[in-house]
Amino acid sequence: MTVVLPFSETVRLNEIGVGLQRTLEPDAAMRARIARALDLASLDAFTADLNLGPNPDHGAGGWRLTGRVKASAVQTCGITLEPLPVEIDERFVVDLVEQAPEIPEDEEFEIGVETDIPDTIEDGRIDLGQYAVEQLALNLDPFPRKPGVEFVQPEEPKEISPFAVLKQFKPKDEA
């Protein structure tokens, strides 16, 4: 199965050298694809400033991607369905390795919120566009709601028993 990414900007490991800097600014058509993929009403602006270089913390095959994503988007309020403008300006750090770290089978290994497992590089390529869109998605509110708007649970309908319905047909003078 081939996964079609909304935005792709791939670099090969041999192109990085001692470091690589890129600024990604998708055009209007690409921003529309990203908006559809992230269920946004629109994505009016999107920029990712990225720095990729060796990461000595993970040995010879380790890399570190740092960056900043900035976006002007419009989400849809989950309650009123009205447009909800969103501004994002966030920095991020992602560690990458050429081979996934081996975890011995006989040792217990807990993965928690504080556990930082680096991403594994596949086929000697890093998709900077994919990471930019991922960081944008991580900074969007998964349940957008206009300020001050609350969901009010409607009253549950009263359950009507079949006997109550039959009782309505009973003549009133037979009580």
Side-chain angles (χ1 to χ4, degrees):
M1 180 174 134
T2 304
V3 177
V4 178
L5 301 172
F7 180 52
S8 183
E9 182 77 29
T10 306
V11 295
R12 294 174 108 3
L13 292 178
N14 62 356
E15 297 173 339
I16 300 169
V18 295
L20 173 80
Q21 292 185 343
R22 292 270 171 90
T23 298
L24 306 180
E25 282 192 76
D27 62 15
M30 193 59 65
R31 286 194 317 269
R33 285 181 58 192
I34 295 168
R36 277 193 304 274
L38 299 180
D39 197 26
L40 297 171
S42 70
L43 182 57
D44 302 322
F46 179 43
T47 305
D49 294 315
L50 307 170
N51 294 304
L52 179 61
N55 182 1
D57 294 346
H58 292 291
W63 302 91
R64 176 164 282 168
L65 175 64
T66 60
R68 180 180 185 185
V69 290
K70 293 193 278 186
S72 294
V74 178
Q75 290 186 282
T76 303
C77 176
I79 297 174
T80 65
L81 302 178
E82 294 177 31
L84 183 62
V86 178
E87 293 294 323
I88 294 173
D89 186 353
E90 293 292 329
R91 295 186 182 282
F92 67 91
V93 176
V94 177
D95 288 328
L96 303 127
V97 291
E98 292 181 50
Q99 285 188 324
E102 289 187 31
I103 301 169
E105 290 182 29
D106 58 339
E107 286 186 33
E108 277 192 36
F109 184 75
E110 286 189 36
I111 297 179
V113 175
E114 299 298 318
T115 307
D116 189 20
I117 298 176
D119 287 2
T120 304
I121 299 169
E122 296 179 9
D123 300 325
R125 299 171 186 208
I126 300 172
D127 192 339
L128 300 176
Q130 174 186 340
Y131 280 106
V133 172
E134 178 181 275
Q135 293 302 315
L136 172 63
L138 289 171
N139 285 288
L140 290 170
D141 186 347
F143 305 104
R145 172 182 323 186
K146 283 197 142 190
V149 174
E150 283 190 37
F151 177 74
V152 178
Q153 179 74 29
E155 279 190 36
E156 292 288 326
K158 294 179 182 172
E159 196 168 317
I160 300 173
S161 82
F163 297 109
V165 173
L166 290 174
K167 190 175 184 181
Q168 291 176 352
F169 295 116
K170 186 176 179 183
K172 293 188 187 215
D173 53 340
E174 287 184 23

